[in-house]
Amino acid sequence: MKISNNWLKDYIKTDLKTEKIGEYLTDIGLEVEGIEKYESVKGSLEGIVVGKVLTCEQHPNADKLKKTTVDVGNGKVLNIVCGAPNVAAGQIVPVAVVGTTIYKGGEKLVMQKAKIRGEYSEGMICAEDELGLSDDHGGIMILDESYKIGDDFAKYFELTTDQVYEIGLTPNRTDAMSHYGVARDLNAYLSTNQLHSEFEKAVLKPLIIEGTTDFQLEVEDSELCPRYLGAVIENVQVADSPDWLKNRLKAIGLNPINNIVDITNFILHGFGQPLHAFDGDQIKGRKVKVGTVKEGTKFTTLDGVERTLNGAEIMIKDGENNPMCIAGVFGGENSGVSENTKTIFLESAYFNPVAVRKGAKFHGLNTDASFRFERGVDPNGVRTAITHAISLIEELSGGKLAGQLLEYYPKKIEDHYVILRFSKVEQILGTKIHIEKIKEILKSLEISVLNEIQNGLELSVPAYRADVTREIDVIEEILRIYGYNKIDAPQKISFTPVKLSLDDQDALENSWARTLQSCGFNEVMNNSLTSVKDETHAVKLLNPLSGDLAFMRTSLLEGLLENADYNIKRKNADIKFFEFGKIYHKIAGKYQERKQLAMLVSGRNVAENWLQPKSATDFYHLKSYVKVLFDKLKLTIDEKSLEDSRFSDALEWVSDGRVVARLGKVAPELLKDADLDQDCFYAEIEVENCQKLRSTENLKFVDIPKFNKIRRDLALLIDKNVSYSDLYKAARKNPSKYLGNINLFDVYEGKNLPEGKKSYAMSFELLNAEKTLEEKDIAEVMNSLIKTFQKEFSAELRG
């Protein structure tokens, strides 16, 4: 937020220098991030003098240049080469002498003595745009006889210079979102610290009513609009604003528009109360209504964008229920003030902050007005602000107030009632502040003491302090004005360390994270707020930050794909990412929240080298990483094929009837949406299910077997619809205590095989830890396996 020092001094008088004011503002929580210089004319015309052209001749070496001599006073005559077509002898002109800095179109140019086409030039005769006085470059400025030769050109203009504070305002400080609010806060600090300041509290401006008006006001819902004021001002002349008003707005980065609009902006940034001026002659039925409109209604705003209303926005309507403005957010295209406006309906109101915020976020609008209404303006400053605006409009446009102010305020918005305990102040601050000092600080903050009670005070906090509603808030206010720097920091800090047990979920996650990091993975953290295509089971926020962040995420996949796209576009195409995070669903009216570990791999599995120039990762690489994580859980896993729109091919791992993992190749549609053109493989692990099912037994050391493992291979001819997992499950049911690892090491389909058949080559490891296996024991196990495969899958042995 920008605060003009000149503007600030309209409300508070102090002898402090700008830098000191900035220091004190920072001390009371209004952090000054920087101070910039503002000049109504860049450079303030420094170095520009009034001169007289004595002679003007054609340049001997250039058709479009003139060679002049110019008297700049004190007996100095300068040789100046000029390219302006309207330069002539006898003219009085502004001259930039050598060493002067001018700013043309924001470009800095320092005048130097130079040779132009063989002739020396000792300055420049200036045009208006070169001095920053206008955009006109039709020729040099020609002055009248009232300008004295040798004078500083700046003395003939009312130039403005200013210092502008850039304040990093926190969202809770609604009271300080204006020059008046900052001045009020600064005065509280200065007055309680015996520093000179004069602050005049804003009061109602007297109004002179001329004539009557037939305009009417109707508010449909007091919850949406607790207070509304309207004024009808007739016979206005819409024109440019005076320079003082333009400079006030320009200093804080606003472009002046016309006197009416500029006044509403001046009041908004001056007092923090947004106003809106309607063209009164465009209001049908001479009636202003505040309420809502039907969902789906089309409405074109001032920026020319047609918007579809959701039916929940607060709308300002005319007598025929035509929408004119999204209240507190943005005006309509056809109801604003134009150069032809003669009658104004001026609005000053207090709208429901939540309703304004929802409307602004739904339409993706963030205006100076909505910024303040969303956080809560001063409900008791609505009338003060409009009287100041009316007074200025009458002064600058010639308009006259017609009839009494139209007001709706059925129930007064009360101040906040808070009980403050002195013992609590001392406990929180760690130091004792004298009771009279506390009262002095409260008074400076316009917090009234209703009653003194035992060890405390009953307080009334002004309604404009929307952030001060509790005892702890008041204590913070006292500390803010008393001074953070006056509180000594404790010399010792104590805390109780918490040790995580080895079998809790955090320990499991930490173990997995370390394992994945050792495998070359990088951990990422994505926002849990996102947008979704399918809203069926998505959890929507009641008050979203924006349309793009309106839902809780239903999957971690989309975030990881965005991470992959970001990296790939920056020449980091080998992706190994993992993320721990929660996902959210709403199913049958109930909210669900689950924690997952998500993994995404893409690109090469190992870095390119002379031995392995190409090593594209695939599904089996991903599966191997997941298997490493599950090895220590001691779970019995069943593999099942999975139908999921996120995958083109996928598996689901189930243990004890609970899904513990899903993994597969990401569907092409999702890759296209993420702007990815390389295959990605994704796995998600249900952390909470794994935590509940995993073995909590301590790991035990097992000796390396003294006897060798025996390996036997089988080549099986089976139907194409038989999967490896079917064969694996059947083999695992074998009762032999010698059967260990089972592996698929070759798959063949194609030539020399019968139609509809494929070949699987499987290996089986057998081990007897007590003695060497005899051939008959091996044959018994293998024959049992062959019979099982033949019986259940009609498998045939291949030679």
Side-chain angles (χ1 to χ4, degrees):
M1 181 180 71
K2 293 183 182 295
I3 294 293
S4 154
N5 191 56
N6 290 348
W7 199 339
L8 193 65
K9 289 182 178 179
D10 289 346
Y11 308 114
I12 184 171
K13 301 292 187 288
T14 176
D15 300 328
L16 296 173
K17 293 183 178 181
T18 305
E19 292 73 16
K20 203 63 181 177
I21 291 175
E23 180 183 324
Y24 289 148
L25 288 175
T26 299
D27 286 345
I28 60 177
L30 304 179
E31 184 180 0
V32 175
E33 298 174 343
I35 302 176
E36 298 177 354
K37 185 178 182 180
Y38 166 77
E39 297 171 306
S40 58
V41 175
K42 188 72 172 175
S44 296
L45 302 179
E46 187 175 347
I48 309 298
V49 298
V50 177
K52 182 174 183 178
V53 181
L54 300 178
T55 64
C56 180
E57 302 172 355
Q58 183 65 43
H59 193 292
N61 303 316
D63 294 339
K64 294 184 177 181
L65 298 178
K66 300 289 179 63
K67 180 182 173 184
T68 69
T69 57
V70 182
D71 179 7
V72 292
N74 297 324
K76 291 183 180 179
V77 177
L78 304 179
N79 294 308
I80 297 178
V81 175
C82 180
N86 63 332
V87 65
Q91 294 172 337
I92 298 175
V93 294
V95 179
V97 299
V98 171
T100 300
T101 301
I102 65 172
Y103 302 85
K104 181 180 179 181
E107 184 179 346
K108 183 177 178 180
L109 179 63
V110 180
M111 291 295 103
Q112 296 178 343
K113 184 176 180 180
K115 187 177 277 190
I116 301 176
R117 293 291 183 94
E119 297 292 334
Y120 279 106
S121 183
E122 301 172 290
M124 184 171 75
I125 304 173
C126 301
E128 289 189 16
D129 67 330
E130 292 164 337
L131 298 177
L133 297 175
S134 76
D135 296 328
D136 183 17
H137 192 66
I140 60 169
M141 289 184 70
I142 300 174
L143 311 177
D144 57 40
E145 295 294 333
S146 64
Y147 289 82
K148 184 179 178 181
I149 309 303
D151 276 358
D152 288 336
F153 189 52
K155 70 179 287 186
Y156 295 94
F157 295 85
E158 293 184 6
L159 301 179
T160 299
T161 60
D162 199 353
Q163 298 292 323
V164 180
Y165 307 97
E166 182 66 48
I167 295 180
L169 195 67
T170 54
N172 63 310
R173 293 301 307 277
T174 57
D175 62 300
M177 293 179 182
S178 65
H179 287 76
Y180 179 80
V182 171
R184 178 174 54 200
D185 219 38
L186 178 62
N187 176 69
Y189 180 81
L190 297 179
S191 62
T192 56
N193 286 278
Q194 288 72 54
L195 296 169
H196 173 70
S197 70
E198 297 176 22
F199 176 74
E200 187 174 345
K201 191 173 181 179
V203 295
L204 297 171
K205 285 277 188 178
L207 300 178
I208 300 174
I209 300 170
E210 297 192 6
T212 60
T213 180
D214 57 350
F215 270 86
Q216 294 178 303
L217 171 65
E218 178 185 340
V219 177
E220 298 172 353
D221 188 340
S222 61
E223 288 294 323
L224 295 179
C225 180
R227 188 175 192 186
Y228 191 96
L229 271 165
V232 180
I233 306 170
E234 297 179 339
N235 300 317
V236 299
Q237 296 291 325
V238 178
D240 282 346
S241 298
D243 288 340
W244 72 264
L245 178 52
K246 288 181 179 179
N247 286 325
R248 284 284 191 268
L249 299 179
K250 285 179 179 179
I252 61 172
L254 296 180
N255 292 322
I257 297 173
N258 59 52
N259 51 0
I260 304 301
V261 176
D262 292 349
I263 288 169
T264 62
N265 282 328
F266 178 76
I267 297 298
L268 183 149
H269 291 277
F271 292 104
Q273 173 63 49
L275 305 176
H276 191 77
F278 298 90
D279 187 329
D281 294 327
Q282 301 298 319
I283 301 176
K284 295 181 180 179
R286 310 282 281 181
K287 186 175 185 179
V288 173
K289 301 172 73 175
V290 185
T292 57
V293 296
K294 185 178 179 181
E295 181 181 1
T297 301
K298 303 294 183 182
F299 177 62
T300 303
T301 45
L302 277 171
D303 55 2
V305 177
E306 184 180 75
R307 305 178 188 275
T308 301
L309 304 177
N310 62 17
E313 305 96 338
I314 310 173
M315 299 299 298
I316 310 300
K317 305 175 288 184
D318 63 21
E320 297 179 5
N321 285 319
N322 299 309
M324 300 189 296
C325 175
I326 303 176
V329 182
F330 214 23
E333 184 180 43
N334 299 320
S335 61
V337 173
S338 70
E339 58 185 10
N340 299 319
T341 298
K342 298 300 179 185
T343 300
I344 290 172
F345 184 89
L346 185 65
E347 165 193 282
S348 180
Y350 177 83
F351 297 116
N352 183 294
V354 174
V356 172
R357 180 172 177 80
K358 286 182 178 180
K361 295 305 176 186
F362 179 81
H363 294 288
L365 294 169
N366 183 21
T367 61
D368 286 335
S370 69
F371 182 78
R372 288 159 176 79
F373 276 127
E374 288 172 12
R375 291 156 177 81
V377 299
D378 180 6
N380 298 318
V382 172
R383 178 177 280 269
T384 302
I386 199 171
T387 60
H388 279 258
I390 292 169
S391 177
L392 279 172
I393 291 172
E394 290 177 337
E395 177 186 343
L396 302 184
S397 76
K400 300 297 180 183
L401 178 64
Q404 298 285 345
L405 297 182
L406 304 176
E407 182 169 16
Y408 176 85
Y409 195 20
K411 183 179 179 182
K412 187 178 185 300
I413 297 174
E414 300 293 340
D415 293 342
H416 312 303
Y417 174 78
V418 179
I419 293 178
L420 177 69
R421 295 166 292 173
F422 299 130
S423 59
K424 194 68 174 178
V425 175
E426 184 175 348
Q427 176 190 347
I428 295 297
L429 302 187
T431 190
K432 188 168 185 176
I433 302 177
H434 196 279
I435 293 174
E436 293 305 316
K437 188 65 175 179
I438 291 176
K439 291 180 182 178
E440 181 185 1
I441 292 172
L442 294 174
K443 182 180 179 181
S444 72
L445 291 168
E446 300 182 1
I447 298 176
S448 303
V449 177
L450 300 176
N451 190 25
E452 294 193 28
I453 58 177
Q454 185 175 3
N455 192 38
L457 302 169
E458 290 181 328
L459 305 174
S460 176
V461 182
Y464 67 75
R465 289 310 305 267
D467 60 321
V468 183
T469 58
R470 306 167 300 167
E471 181 183 40
I472 191 65
D473 300 327
V474 176
I475 294 173
E476 182 184 359
E477 288 300 292
I478 294 170
L479 174 60
R480 203 169 55 79
I481 302 302
Y482 178 75
Y484 294 105
N485 297 331
K486 295 179 182 178
I487 306 296
D488 293 330
Q491 298 300 311
K492 295 181 180 180
I493 299 176
S494 61
F495 65 94
T496 303
V498 178
K499 183 178 180 181
L500 297 173
S501 61
L502 293 177
D503 60 348
D504 68 5
Q505 186 171 308
D506 289 329
L508 173 63
E509 293 177 18
N510 289 337
S511 174
W512 275 351
R514 288 192 297 270
T515 300
L516 290 172
Q517 287 168 348
S518 68
C519 294
F521 279 77
N522 291 296
E523 185 173 8
V524 300
M525 296 179 67
N526 289 307
N527 196 341
S528 58
L529 302 179
T530 184
S531 59
V532 297
K533 285 187 176 180
D534 183 4
E535 301 180 13
T536 307
H537 299 300
V539 178
K540 187 173 184 179
L541 301 183
L542 294 176
N543 193 17
L545 295 172
S546 68
D548 292 334
L549 301 173
F551 293 88
M552 304 297 288
R553 62 187 173 191
T554 58
S555 170
L556 301 180
L557 174 57
E558 287 75 10
L560 289 175
L561 290 176
E562 288 182 15
N563 300 144
D565 176 54
Y566 183 88
N567 279 266
I568 291 169
K569 286 178 177 175
R570 286 156 181 79
K571 307 303 181 183
N572 181 27
D574 301 330
I575 304 298
K576 286 184 180 178
F577 289 152
F578 76 93
E579 178 180 13
F580 286 99
K582 290 187 177 181
I583 61 171
Y584 308 85
H585 295 87
K586 184 179 181 182
I587 300 175
K590 295 184 178 180
Y591 293 97
Q592 296 182 2
E593 176 182 312
R594 306 199 312 273
K595 191 164 192 179
Q596 292 183 336
L597 165 60
M599 301 159 58
L600 186 80
V601 296
S602 184
R604 291 182 298 236
N605 188 50
V606 296
E608 183 179 11
N609 59 77
W610 67 278
L611 284 174
Q612 290 179 301
K614 292 183 179 180
S615 57
T617 194
D618 57 25
F619 170 78
Y620 296 101
H621 285 122
L622 174 66
K623 186 177 179 182
S624 68
Y625 295 128
V626 177
K627 188 175 184 302
V628 167
L629 299 181
F630 274 80
D631 278 346
K632 295 181 181 179
L633 302 184
K634 296 183 180 179
L635 301 181
T636 302
I637 302 293
D638 291 328
E639 283 190 1
K640 298 180 180 180
S641 60
L642 175 66
E643 293 292 332
D644 190 321
S645 60
R646 297 175 299 167
F647 303 105
S648 55
D649 293 297
L651 289 178
E652 185 175 68
W653 286 8
V654 180
S655 180
D656 196 22
R658 298 188 184 190
V659 175
V660 291
R662 303 173 194 86
L663 55 159
K665 184 178 181 181
V666 179
E669 295 80 11
L670 288 182
L671 296 179
K672 184 178 180 182
D673 289 343
D675 199 22
L676 291 168
D677 57 5
Q678 66 184 48
D679 289 339
C680 294
F681 302 90
Y682 173 75
E684 59 187 22
I685 299 172
E686 299 291 345
V687 177
E688 287 145 349
N689 284 348
C690 291
Q691 166 65 16
K692 291 174 183 176
L693 296 173
R694 73 182 177 121
S695 171
T696 57
E697 294 180 4
N698 291 328
L699 297 176
K700 295 180 180 180
F701 174 77
V702 178
D703 281 328
I704 296 174
K706 297 179 182 179
F707 303 95
N708 292 331
K709 296 177 183 178
I710 304 298
R711 169 173 166 160
R712 291 291 184 267
D713 297 340
L714 291 178
L716 302 172
L717 187 66
I718 57 175
D719 292 337
K720 282 188 174 181
N721 60 355
V722 178
S723 67
Y724 166 65
S725 63
D726 296 330
L727 298 174
Y728 180 87
K729 291 174 186 176
R732 275 292 167 216
K733 293 177 183 177
N734 193 285
S736 174
K737 62 181 180 180
Y738 305 138
L739 182 60
N741 290 334
I742 302 170
N743 184 44
L744 175 70
F745 64 87
D746 187 43
V747 178
Y748 177 73
E749 296 180 66
K751 199 161 67 170
N752 299 326
L753 290 184
E755 184 74 21
K757 296 288 186 178
K758 62 182 176 181
S759 174
Y760 275 176
M762 300 174 62
S763 65
F764 303 87
E765 289 184 352
L766 298 98
L767 172 68
N768 185 340
E770 298 175 355
K771 65 176 184 177
T772 301
L773 276 173
E774 297 182 11
E775 191 60 40
K776 66 175 183 177
D777 297 326
I778 299 171
E780 182 180 344
V781 176
M782 297 307 298
N783 289 334
S784 174
L785 290 170
I786 292 169
K787 287 180 180 178
T788 298
F789 294 147
Q790 290 174 337
K791 181 180 179 181
E792 294 189 17
F793 306 107
S794 301
E796 300 177 29
L797 288 180
R798 298 185 66 208

